[in-house]
């Protein structure tokens, strides 16, 4: 399975590294350098873990399963990079290094112990597909040291990431750290499988049965963690995309109301240059709807306001929803009255029930108005309530 999963992890790590390394042009902080080092080591780890590269590297060096020691050493070094990143995000530089030193010391000692135990436990054959399994059965001490270093780091990274989400400086940094923290259960599943390998090995039982679980868990943890480390950089592009999709959807929702109103009241419409962006067009749509609404004020019957408000409040709607229902009903009634040229004897002095404070609030409200205008049964019922009233036939 690692012939398939590990190359995928290597490719994802390489793409993340290429994307992230450009940051060094403007940011040479220890956080960025350690993060790039983490991605580089991650990429190397999975490249070498690919079976045919594993075998070739060990043969080139002339040490059986050297690739296993190399990749797991890279994992320990990655742990050091991750600690440096998170500690420098959480604390100021001096405090971060004071907290990093004991952690890094433990990782270095673990690495030295791994090299010593590996040298004493050289195998007779290459094990690109079951290195951990063979070490668990015949040389458990080596794997125990590696697992202690790996698991302790994963727990520490998960806890640090979770704590920092509460004080992260940007939303995408907070989301990225949350993703990193969320990989902890998968890392623990991997560690659990390796502990099971050690126990099973002492009874001459193979861990082949749960090996796919270990590989899948570590793959999920790896890819999710890569996404978390890089999310603060590319997440903002998701924000831009989300805003564009939202504005596009809002423009479509408002288009029907805008089209019907400006067909009767074309004066507010200002032709825009073909190069005008979506946000500018949306702003003009909002302004033109409001201008047309005021132009239709003299065709708005107060009885429609009363009927729509009574029905909306009877349905238990909130104030903003009631306002959207009332304004939608007034607009539909005004369009009908102007089309039939039947102006009411009395009309509304102010066609706006809602008074949004800014453009964002205005957009939210006008979307509610547009939905009510298009398909609200309450609006239809309010118009039926007032349909039989005597309306002045004075011409506009």
């Amino acid at each position: 399975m690692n012939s398939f999963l590990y190359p995928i992890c290597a490719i994802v790590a390489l793409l993340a590294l290429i994307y992230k390394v450009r940051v060094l042009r403007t940011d040479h902080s220890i956080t960025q350098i350690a993060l790039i080092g983490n991605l580089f080591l991650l990429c190397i780890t999975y490249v070498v873990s690919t079976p045919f590269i594993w075998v070739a590297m060990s043969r080139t060096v002339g040490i059986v399963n050297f690739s296993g020691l190399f990749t797991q050493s890279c994992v320990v070094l990655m742990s050091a990079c991750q600690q440096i990143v998170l500690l420098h995000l959480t604390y100021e530089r001096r405090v971060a290094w004071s907290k990093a030193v004991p952690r890094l010391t433990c990782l270095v000692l673990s690495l030295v112990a791994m090299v010593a135990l590996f040298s004493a436990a050289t195998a007779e054959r290459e094990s690109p597909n079951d290195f951990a399994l063979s070490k668990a059965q015949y040389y458990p001490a080596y794997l125990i040291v590696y697992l202690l270093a790996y698991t302790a780091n994963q727990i520490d990274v998960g806890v640090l990431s979770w704590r920092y989400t509460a004080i992260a400086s940007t939303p995408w940094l907070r989301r990225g750290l949350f993703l990193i923290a969320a990989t902890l259960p998968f890392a623990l599943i991997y560690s659990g499988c390796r502990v099971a390998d050690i126990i099973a090995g002492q009874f001459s039982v193979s861990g082949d049965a749960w090996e796919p679980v270990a590989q899948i868990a570590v793959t999920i943890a790896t890819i999710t963690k890569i996404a978390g480390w890089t999310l603060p950089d590319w997440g903002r592009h998701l924000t831009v995309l989300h805003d564009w999709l939202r504005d596009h959807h809002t423009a479509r929702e408002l288009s029907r109301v805008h089209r019907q109103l400006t067909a009767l009241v074309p004066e507010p419409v200002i032709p825009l240059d073909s190069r005008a962006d979506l946000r500018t067009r949306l702003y003009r749509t909002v302004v033109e709807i409001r201008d047309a609404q005021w132009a239709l004020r003299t065709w708005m019957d107060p009885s429609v306001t009363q009927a729509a408000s009574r029905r909306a409040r009877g349905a238990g709607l909130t104030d903003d929803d009631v306002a959207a229902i009332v304004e939608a009903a007034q607009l539909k009634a005004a369009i009908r009255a102007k089309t039939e040229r039947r102006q009411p004897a009395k009309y509304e002095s102010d066609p706006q029930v809602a008074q949004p404070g800014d453009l964002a609030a205005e957009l939210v409200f006008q979307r509610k108005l547009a939905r009510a205008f298009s398909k609200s049964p309450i609006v239809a019922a309010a118009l039926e309530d007032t349909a039989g009233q005597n309306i002045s036939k004075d011409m506009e």
Side-chain angles (χ1 to χ4, degrees):
M1 184 176 290
N2 53 9
S3 298
F4 171 71
L5 293 179
Y6 290 177
I8 291 177
C9 291
I11 292 171
V12 173
L14 178 61
L15 293 175
L17 176 62
I18 293 171
Y19 180 79
K20 189 67 181 175
V21 76
R22 62 186 177 81
V23 177
L24 286 180
R25 292 179 297 181
T26 56
D27 187 352
H28 297 87
S29 66
I30 186 63
T31 303
Q32 294 295 344
I33 293 172
L35 182 54
I36 290 171
N38 172 63
L39 293 173
F40 173 76
L41 290 167
L42 185 62
C43 181
I44 293 298
T45 297
Y46 281 103
V47 167
V48 176
S49 294
T50 304
F52 76 92
I53 297 179
W54 175 297
V55 174
M57 183 174 185
S58 294
R59 286 178 179 173
T60 300
V61 175
I63 300 176
V64 177
N65 283 325
F66 172 80
S67 298
L69 173 64
F70 179 81
T71 56
Q72 292 182 340
S73 297
C74 285
V75 172
V76 175
L77 294 175
M78 280 165 42
S79 301
C81 292
Q82 292 170 11
Q83 294 285 356
I84 291 172
V85 170
L86 290 172
L87 288 172
H88 279 78
L89 283 176
T90 308
Y91 304 100
E92 61 93 17
R93 185 183 180 89
R94 183 181 59 81
V95 176
W97 277 119
S98 68
K99 290 182 176 294
V101 167
R103 289 173 165 88
L104 298 180
T105 301
C106 289
L107 290 173
V108 169
L109 292 175
S110 299
L111 191 57
V112 171
M114 285 169 57
V115 172
L117 291 169
F118 178 87
S119 300
T122 301
E124 297 180 356
R125 65 177 181 85
E126 290 289 344
S127 305
N129 295 302
D130 60 353
F131 176 74
L133 289 176
S134 63
K135 288 298 178 186
Q137 183 171 4
Y138 300 110
Y139 308 104
Y142 169 86
L143 191 59
I144 288 173
V145 172
Y146 170 70
L147 283 178
L148 285 174
Y150 172 82
T151 306
N153 176 74
Q154 294 305 306
I155 293 173
D156 201 17
V157 166
V159 171
L160 285 173
S161 299
W162 180 257
R163 286 177 179 172
Y164 191 69
T165 56
I167 58 173
S169 57
T170 67
W172 285 113
L173 177 58
R174 181 169 59 252
R175 292 162 188 155
L177 291 169
F178 178 80
L179 280 181
I180 294 169
T183 64
L184 179 57
F186 297 99
L188 294 179
I189 290 173
Y190 171 79
S191 296
C193 290
R194 293 295 172 240
V195 171
D197 290 339
I198 295 172
I199 296 172
Q202 306 316 300
F203 296 94
S204 299
V205 176
S206 173
D208 289 330
W210 54 81
E211 183 63 13
V213 176
Q215 294 177 357
I216 291 172
V218 77
T219 299
I220 293 174
T222 297
I223 293 178
T224 305
K225 203 165 258 177
I226 291 172
W229 290 124
T230 57
L231 190 58
D233 293 305
W234 55 266
R236 64 180 184 274
H237 299 302
L238 295 181
T239 298
V240 172
L241 176 61
H242 173 270
D243 291 345
W244 184 87
L245 291 174
R246 181 198 59 205
D247 290 347
H248 185 73
H249 183 64
T250 300
R252 284 202 310 169
E253 284 190 314
L254 300 186
S255 63
R256 182 178 179 185
V257 178
H258 180 268
R259 186 169 56 251
Q260 292 194 39
L261 292 180
T262 56
L264 288 176
V265 187
E267 291 80 10
V269 178
I270 298 176
L272 292 175
D273 188 278
S274 59
R275 294 170 293 181
D277 60 29
L278 176 60
R279 194 70 177 175
T280 301
R281 293 180 180 278
L282 186 57
Y283 173 75
R284 281 306 313 166
T285 297
V286 168
V287 171
E288 289 165 9
I289 286 175
R290 283 305 194 191
D291 288 347
Q293 188 178 15
W294 276 92
L296 289 170
R297 175 176 59 89
T298 58
W299 299 89
M300 294 180 180
D301 191 334
S303 64
V304 175
T305 299
Q306 296 167 7
S309 179
R310 182 175 61 252
R311 283 189 169 273
R313 295 193 182 281
L317 299 182
T318 61
D319 289 344
D320 280 352
D321 291 330
V322 170
I325 292 290
V326 170
E327 290 192 24
Q330 280 287 17
L331 287 174
K332 290 183 78 73
I335 290 172
R336 183 177 64 187
K338 185 172 176 60
T339 301
E340 297 175 355
R341 306 194 69 76
R342 294 191 303 172
Q343 193 170 30
K346 294 182 179 180
Y347 51 81
E348 291 286 357
S349 59
D350 187 345
Q352 288 188 238
V353 179
Q355 298 292 334
D358 53 32
L359 178 59
E362 182 70 55
L363 284 171
V364 171
F365 177 77
Q366 286 207 18
R367 289 183 68 178
K368 289 183 178 182
L369 187 154
R371 289 192 289 268
F373 185 89
S374 299
K375 55 187 178 184
S376 172
I378 298 178
V379 170
L383 294 179
E384 289 180 3
D385 291 344
T386 57
Q389 294 181 0
N390 293 325
I391 303 175
S392 173
K393 297 185 182 296
D394 292 340
M395 303 299 289
E396 181 180 13

